[in-house]
């Protein structure tokens, strides 16, 4: 069975300061890991994904995440927060990325607030 | 390219009534998924269509939920009769199948907010 734990339900940072959103996962297989973002009244958008290639993954809008197998973590970071980053972020795991079924397991989400 | 479209964006119904949610996937996407987020909880998988066939419906909560995808294009999710615990946001997603494998990138719609009173 697979699961994801997002350690913070809310994170607030000042504009221009670093962002860290934490995620730990549990998976029976070699997992694929994703971060999705949802802005108000918008669909879920893929930020980045890890699929057993490079452990440091770069995504859109300056975000990146590092897969650490020894810590079972996949934390999302950004060096400098922008007001437009305010949204809800979801850490997601998939055990069967290419078996014909994208049965994703989502974390409970982290709401990121940017302080002007 | 048009994205995944869901209709309605909001629905408010009374307990015991019927509601039908619709999802139009991106044109050419064989895979269509339904997920939902009940208030305060994580987004959970409901089911997966490949074209018009149900590939996996293990996440459907009970037989009050019926999903269809006639013709392999748009999909509907009917809840009959609706209960209070069905309230939440229902997301639809679609993806391509490339060389027999599912493309990992899912495109999500903006969801339908369902409120059962």
């Amino acid at each position: 069975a697979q699961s994801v734990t997002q350690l913070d339900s809310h994170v607030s940072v000042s504009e221009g300061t670093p962002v860290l959103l934490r995620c730990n996962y549990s998976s029976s297989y070699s997992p694929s890991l994703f971060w999705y973002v949802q802005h108000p009244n918008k669909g879920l958008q893929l930020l980045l994904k890890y699929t057993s290639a490079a452990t440091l993954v770069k995504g859109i809008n300056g975000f990146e995440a590092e897969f650490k197998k020894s810590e079972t973590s996949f934390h999302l970071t950004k060096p400098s927060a922008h007001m437009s980053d305010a949204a809800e972020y979801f850490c997601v795991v998939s055990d069967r990325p290419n078996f014909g079924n994208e049965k994703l397991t989502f974390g409970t989400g982290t709401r990121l607030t940017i302080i002007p | 390219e048009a994205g995944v479209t869901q209709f309605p964006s909001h629905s408010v119904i009374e307990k015991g009534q019927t509601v039908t949610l619709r999802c139009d996937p991106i044109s050419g996407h064989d895979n269509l998924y339904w997920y939902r987020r009940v208030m305060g909880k994580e987004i959970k998988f409901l089911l997966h269509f490949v074209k018009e066939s149900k590939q996996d419906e293990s996440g459907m909560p009970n037989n009050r939920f019926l999903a269809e995808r006639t013709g392999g294009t748009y999909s509907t999710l009917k809840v009959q009769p609706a209960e209070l615990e069905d309230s939440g946001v229902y997301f639809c997603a679609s993806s391509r199948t490339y060389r027999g494998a599912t493309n990992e990138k899912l495109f999500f719609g903006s969801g339908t907010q369902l409120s059962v009173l």
Side-chain angles (χ1 to χ4, degrees):
Chain A
Q2 56 191 8
S3 66
V4 169
T5 302
Q6 290 185 245
L7 299 163
D8 306 294
S9 58
H10 291 87
V11 170
S12 293
V13 302
S14 296
E15 188 176 17
T17 64
V19 175
L20 170 64
L21 305 184
R22 298 181 294 165
C23 173
N24 286 97
Y25 71 91
S26 172
S27 175
S28 303
Y29 304 94
S30 181
S32 284
L33 293 158
F34 310 80
W35 276 96
Y36 279 84
V37 61
Q38 187 181 23
H39 289 90
N41 301 315
K42 301 276 185 170
L44 290 157
Q45 181 184 21
L46 180 65
L47 270 182
L48 50 82
K49 65 181 180 183
Y50 164 78
T51 54
S52 75
T55 56
L56 182 62
V57 182
K58 294 188 184 299
I60 61 172
N61 301 335
F63 284 94
E64 62 182 38
E66 187 172 7
F67 174 73
K68 292 187 176 180
K69 187 174 181 179
S70 61
E71 298 176 9
T72 60
S73 69
F74 191 57
H75 301 333
L76 181 71
T77 61
K78 182 173 179 176
S80 176
H82 190 273
M83 293 301 295
S84 61
D85 294 329
E88 190 163 19
Y89 292 77
F90 296 91
C91 184
V92 181
V93 64
S94 171
D95 264 349
R96 296 176 286 174
N98 285 309
F99 293 174
N101 180 0
E102 293 305 330
K103 191 173 180 178
L104 305 178
T105 298
F106 283 77
T108 50
T110 298
R111 188 166 295 280
L112 177 63
T113 300
I114 311 298
I115 303 165
Chain B
E1 158 179 274
V4 177
T5 306
Q6 292 188 246
F7 182 83
S9 57
H10 293 82
S11 180
V12 181
I13 61 172
E14 293 188 351
K15 175 183 172 180
Q17 289 186 320
T18 298
V19 63
T20 300
L21 314 181
R22 173 170 169 147
C23 169
D24 286 75
I26 293 172
S27 178
H29 282 194
D30 288 340
N31 297 286
L32 188 149
Y33 305 83
W34 284 97
Y35 286 80
R36 77 168 177 177
R37 188 182 195 189
V38 172
M39 184 75 71
K41 302 207 170 176
E42 65 271 25
I43 299 169
K44 286 196 171 179
F45 169 85
L46 294 179
L47 88 159
H48 169 211
F49 284 99
V50 177
K51 298 185 180 178
E52 67 276 9
S53 299
K54 291 177 184 174
Q55 181 80 7
D56 182 349
E57 53 184 328
S58 61
M60 295 288 265
N62 52 62
N63 59 10
R64 294 185 294 103
F65 289 76
L66 175 64
E68 294 181 321
R69 192 183 182 194
T70 307
T73 54
Y74 72 91
S75 173
T76 57
L77 180 64
K78 181 190 288 188
V79 185
Q80 178 181 30
E83 298 290 344
L84 299 178
E85 64 264 25
D86 301 331
S87 296
V89 181
Y90 289 76
F91 292 99
C92 176
S94 71
S95 70
R96 272 194 293 242
T97 298
Y98 179 69
R99 292 182 179 174
T102 303
N103 186 306
E104 292 178 351
K105 186 168 184 178
L106 292 191
F107 293 85
F108 280 84
S110 55
T112 294
Q113 173 76 58
L114 174 64
S115 299
V116 182
L117 306 179

